[in-house]
Amino acid sequence: LLLSLFRAVGMEYKTESAGMFNEGVEHVFEYAALPHRAGQEALLVREGRAFNQLPLLTSQRALAVPGGFSLTGGSVFLSALKPAGDGLFMRLYEGVGKKTPVRIQVPKRFARWAKADGLENPEVFRPLAGALAFELAPFKVQGLLFRP
């Protein structure tokens, strides 16, 4: 096992490297190794996210996002789920470079959905009847809006 840590190239024209890279300051890093078989890339992404993202304590208001969603799609990951106006914004991404079918079970209170850009601007809202199914292209990031 070879483990290397490289420092990025300095950008002296913006600032001195010593200040930019905190030279002389102690840094602590955590590493993990996960034995796996070929073809288990989605497992690596899932476990890597779990290792790097500690649980986040939020306010009671932030917990008001409704339950009842379920996502299936082997290499598709949820990266955002948050209130958006009278509805909800969801951001998904395909993490291993494979075209992947996605199925999202949606709570009954949502009757419409639309694809959305990163600024939550919707395309065309369409009727929704409980579940949404589509394919996500390799490494695609997709925003979705759900409305009552």
Side-chain angles (χ1 to χ4, degrees), residues 77-136:
F77 301 93
L78 177 70
S79 64
L81 182 63
K82 66 186 196 93
D86 64 343
L88 202 67
F89 175 76
M90 175 184 285
R91 184 175 49 243
L92 309 170
Y93 69 93
E94 193 290 318
V96 301
K98 295 179 182 177
K99 185 175 178 182
T100 305
V102 180
R103 180 175 167 80
I104 305 168
Q105 189 65 41
V106 181
K108 291 180 182 178
R109 81 174 201 102
F110 295 107
R112 302 177 302 138
W113 75 279
K115 290 182 177 180
D117 64 19
L119 298 175
E120 301 177 21
N121 298 314
E123 290 180 6
V124 177
F125 277 97
R126 298 183 173 108
L128 177 64
L132 178 59
F134 57 94
E135 283 193 338
L136 210 52

Side-chain angles (χ1 to χ4, degrees), residues 7-10 12 16-27:
R7 184 180 122 175
V9 175
E12 297 290 337
E16 293 181 25
S17 288
M20 185 186 319
F21 294 107
N22 295 317
E23 289 182 5
V25 175
E26 181 178 325
H27 297 276

Side-chain angles (χ1 to χ4, degrees), residues 63-86:
L63 296 176
V65 172
F69 281 92
S70 71
L71 170 66
T72 54
S75 61
V76 175
F77 301 93
L78 177 70
S79 64
L81 182 63
K82 66 186 196 93
D86 64 343

